[in-house]
Amino acid sequence: MNKPKIIPFLLFSISLICLFSSCKKDYNDSNFTAYFGGEISNPSSPYILFCRESEVIDTIKIDKNNRFFIKFDSLTPGMYTFKNEPEYQYVYFDKNDSLMVQLNSNDFDESVVFCGRGDEKNNFLMEMYLKNKKDKNTIYDVFDYDVPQFSAAINTTYSSNKKFYTIKKEHIKWSPDFDIFAKATLDLHYYSKKESYPVVHKIRTGEDITNKLPENYYDFRKNVDFNSSKLSSFSSYIMYLSHMLNNVATIKYHNHFSNVDLELKTNISKLNIVDTLIKNSKVKNTVLNNIAFAYLLEDQNVVNNKKFLEIYHKYSTDNSKKNEILKIGNAIKLLDIGNSLPEVKLMNLDNNIVSSKSLATEKSVIFFWTENLTSHQIAVHKKIMELKSKYPSYQFIAINLDNNQNKWKENLSNYAFEGITELRCVDFEDLKSKWAITKVHRTIILNSEGKIKSAFTNIFDVNFEDNLK
């Protein structure tokens, strides 16, 4: 892991750090002024988005030297996020905190370093985050262990992390509000492993150990506040609730794994559990949205999607225009067999705008790819080349989901995918909201009149070719 280049950063920030040092001496409890800035190497967008609870508070321009800075005349203490899309991280502000951050978008999480007033607690969060991230990458073999071995392994890691947390808490003397997030970062990763164990163990080994768990195995759930509005946008909290709900719902059907409707039943069960367990509307809607989005990413059955969304709408009170689930649900309604595919704008290799309507005039297979998934890009094109020779009456249309025209054209120049109509989406958000594109493996098939024959197929499904006959 490359270490961040601190020296240029400090030279750039020297006047501000002097200000920060002054702040430490002259802490003002009567106002909420705060500063945030830093330097980002290899930015992926020209802005830093400063957000709270998924709402953008400020858009901070990155200058020609890759630096950014903003003063807040009034900033409510609490947890925020900063984004250089698509990456993001958390930053916590107390009164009068003045923070600078050094990062590199090519190695985003591993490069984040804070300095200034409030730096110690934020660097602690990053250290804990990286500890948990490393643990996730090495935990899978542990799920194969029997119950005593598994418990011993995760307890050892938890004890080490708890010692680290305790030492930092005593040294930094952070606020009770910050401790809610610090403790969540420590505990919820550990709890998530305990929730995941019965499910993952059966998937990996075939053994159902549900009845072998000690009676007190789930006692830790008593320590979880299932209605914490402060944690409702905190990833560790949402991740834990996701693992817990998956565990509880899967156990309900653990003797019915062969049922073809298992995913639908399991996810509807999750929605029912959330409605019973969580009363805080903010937390409830966040968790319901998380379940719905994850389910719609996986299920390619339009009938099942409709059944699921009926229950979702029954429980959710999130009617905001920004609700992704509402957009996906509305799109699904328009993608019934026999309907016309909603119009979207596409770009061809000659840099001309093409309407999807002009393409939807004959039998077609429409598939998607992105340069971020190179293996998929190559595999799906190879599969299409095979299908082209077997089904010459179809036109095959590839739609790239990336936003850089030149990089897209350069990428394609490395391959010889002849006979495929290559296009790029002009506005991914528009495409996603109209065609319900939630995963790159989606494939859409049109009939001889250009009408929808199937809008929810997967080209790698073993029965995919049945749709073309």
Side-chain angles (χ1 to χ4, degrees):
M1 183 175 70
N2 294 328
K3 294 182 179 179
K5 296 180 180 179
I6 301 297
I7 294 176
F9 173 59
L10 293 179
L11 290 175
F12 148 61
S13 309
I14 189 165
S15 61
L16 292 172
I17 291 175
C18 290
L19 172 62
F20 298 160
S21 298
S22 175
C23 286
K24 291 184 179 182
K25 294 177 182 178
D26 304 314
Y27 176 77
N28 190 337
D29 194 45
S30 64
N31 68 67
F32 294 86
T33 301
Y35 300 85
F36 182 61
E39 181 177 339
I40 176 169
S41 301
N42 307 302
S44 55
S45 77
Y47 299 96
I48 294 291
L49 301 180
F50 190 79
C51 313
R52 187 166 195 185
E53 297 177 353
S54 301
E55 293 293 325
V56 177
I57 295 175
D58 264 292
T59 301
I60 313 170
K61 176 73 173 164
I62 300 172
D63 69 19
K64 63 181 181 181
N65 296 311
N66 292 339
R67 298 160 185 166
F68 59 94
F69 181 75
I70 190 169
K71 174 187 176 183
F72 297 101
D73 292 327
S74 180
L75 189 68
T76 304
M79 186 64 78
Y80 295 82
T81 56
F82 60 95
K83 301 179 180 180
N84 188 235
E85 293 188 312
E87 302 286 357
Y88 78 95
Q89 259 305 339
Y90 292 98
V91 58
Y92 187 93
F93 278 85
D94 278 316
K95 282 184 180 180
N96 300 138
D97 274 355
S98 298
L99 287 161
M100 301 295 286
V101 61
Q102 167 88 1
L103 65 153
N104 186 326
S105 67
N106 291 342
D107 196 19
F108 198 91
D109 296 329
E110 283 76 8
S111 68
V112 173
V113 178
F114 293 95
C115 71
R117 173 182 283 280
D119 60 348
E120 289 184 303
K121 58 180 177 284
N122 281 291
N123 284 326
F124 162 79
L125 278 184
M126 282 307 307
E127 287 183 78
M128 280 300 301
Y129 172 82
L130 293 175
K131 284 176 181 286
N132 291 340
K133 185 177 181 179
K134 181 180 179 181
D135 186 51
K136 286 178 185 177
N137 293 334
T138 58
I139 190 63
Y140 289 102
D141 288 344
V142 177
F143 287 122
D144 294 348
Y145 295 172
D146 62 24
V147 178
Q149 285 179 306
F150 171 78
S151 296
I154 67 168
N155 287 344
T156 298
T157 303
Y158 178 71
S159 296
S160 175
N161 288 344
K162 188 173 183 179
K163 181 179 180 180
F164 175 69
Y165 157 83
T166 303
I167 292 171
K168 290 293 184 180
K169 182 181 179 181
E170 292 175 355
H171 171 70
I172 300 171
K173 302 187 187 307
W174 54 57
S175 66
D177 186 79
F178 176 79
D179 193 54
I180 293 173
F181 297 95
K183 196 72 162 60
T185 304
L186 168 70
D187 290 340
L188 295 179
H189 175 67
Y190 171 65
Y191 297 164
S192 290
K193 289 190 286 187
K194 291 184 71 92
E195 297 285 4
S196 300
Y197 175 55
V199 178
V200 179
H201 184 83
K202 179 162 186 176
I203 292 172
R204 287 177 61 90
T205 68
E207 179 191 18
D208 187 344
I209 47 84
T210 304
N211 296 325
K212 296 181 181 179
L213 298 174
E215 289 186 8
N216 65 348
Y217 183 81
Y218 293 110
D219 280 359
F220 63 87
R221 289 177 181 167
K222 299 173 185 176
N223 301 323
V224 179
D225 180 0
F226 293 103
N227 292 281
S228 174
S229 58
K230 284 185 180 293
L231 293 174
S232 63
S233 299
F234 196 52
S235 61
S236 297
Y237 183 66
I238 300 303
M239 186 65 69
Y240 166 72
L241 293 177
S242 175
H243 288 307
M244 183 274 292
L245 291 166
N246 187 55
N247 185 18
V248 175
T250 301
I251 286 175
K252 182 176 180 180
Y253 296 107
H254 76 279
N255 290 322
H256 307 283
F257 273 95
S258 61
N259 194 310
V260 294
D261 293 323
L262 177 64
E263 283 299 315
L264 176 63
K265 289 182 178 181
T266 300
N267 280 278
I268 287 178
S269 179
K270 290 180 188 179
L271 298 181
N272 292 332
I273 294 167
V274 170
D275 184 58
T276 302
L277 183 65
I278 302 175
K279 303 305 177 185
N280 181 289
S281 60
K282 185 178 176 182
V283 178
K284 185 175 183 177
N285 284 332
T286 299
V287 176
L288 287 173
N289 288 346
N290 189 61
I291 293 169
F293 195 76
Y295 174 71
L296 294 171
L297 274 171
E298 293 302 324
D299 199 307
Q300 300 298 304
N301 185 306
V302 68
V303 175
N304 283 357
N305 285 345
K306 287 181 177 179
K307 290 178 182 178
F308 174 85
L309 287 168
E310 283 178 9
I311 306 299
Y312 165 81
H313 289 305
K314 177 182 175 182
Y315 296 143
S316 175
T317 58
D318 182 2
N319 297 314
S320 68
K321 292 181 180 179
K322 294 182 179 180
N323 187 342
E324 290 291 328
I325 310 307
L326 288 177
K327 294 178 184 177
I328 293 170
N330 291 335
I332 288 172
K333 292 177 183 177
L334 299 175
L335 296 173
D336 276 343
I337 295 172
N339 285 356
S340 296
L341 198 59
E343 183 180 19
V344 298
K345 299 297 183 184
L346 304 166
M347 183 80 73
N348 65 20
L349 289 166
D350 295 323
N351 300 328
N352 295 321
I353 297 291
V354 176
S355 169
S356 60
K357 279 192 172 181
S358 67
L359 301 168
T361 58
E362 58 183 288
K363 291 197 291 186
S364 307
V365 173
I366 303 173
F367 64 101
F368 306 88
W369 65 278
T370 169
E371 66 177 22
N372 296 321
L373 294 172
T374 304
S375 59
H376 169 75
Q377 172 194 346
I378 297 172
V380 73
H381 276 86
K382 284 184 176 179
K383 182 70 175 178
I384 288 295
M385 295 300 287
E386 293 174 9
L387 294 173
K388 255 183 89 289
S389 60
K390 296 173 68 175
Y391 302 95
S393 62
Y394 278 86
Q395 68 169 338
F396 294 86
I397 302 170
I399 298 180
N400 176 261
L401 303 176
D402 301 316
N403 59 13
N404 190 305
Q405 180 79 356
N406 291 331
K407 286 182 71 176
W408 167 60
K409 292 166 70 172
E410 182 182 343
N411 187 307
L412 283 176
S413 68
N414 297 320
Y415 304 96
F417 300 130
E418 296 180 2
I420 298 174
T421 302
E422 295 284 354
L423 299 165
R424 185 182 65 80
C425 72
V426 173
D427 183 345
F428 175 69
E429 290 302 319
D430 185 57
L431 180 77
K432 183 172 68 173
S433 65
K434 289 179 178 177
W435 291 6
I437 301 300
T438 55
K439 62 185 301 184
V440 74
H441 296 89
R442 263 281 295 288
T443 310
I444 297 172
I445 301 173
L446 306 182
N447 64 21
S448 58
E449 298 177 349
K451 304 294 184 183
I452 295 172
K453 185 176 182 180
S454 177
F456 294 88
T457 61
N458 185 334
I459 199 167
F460 295 109
D461 189 293
V462 291
N463 298 314
F464 174 78
E465 290 187 48
D466 291 344
N467 298 293
L468 305 181
K469 297 173 181 177

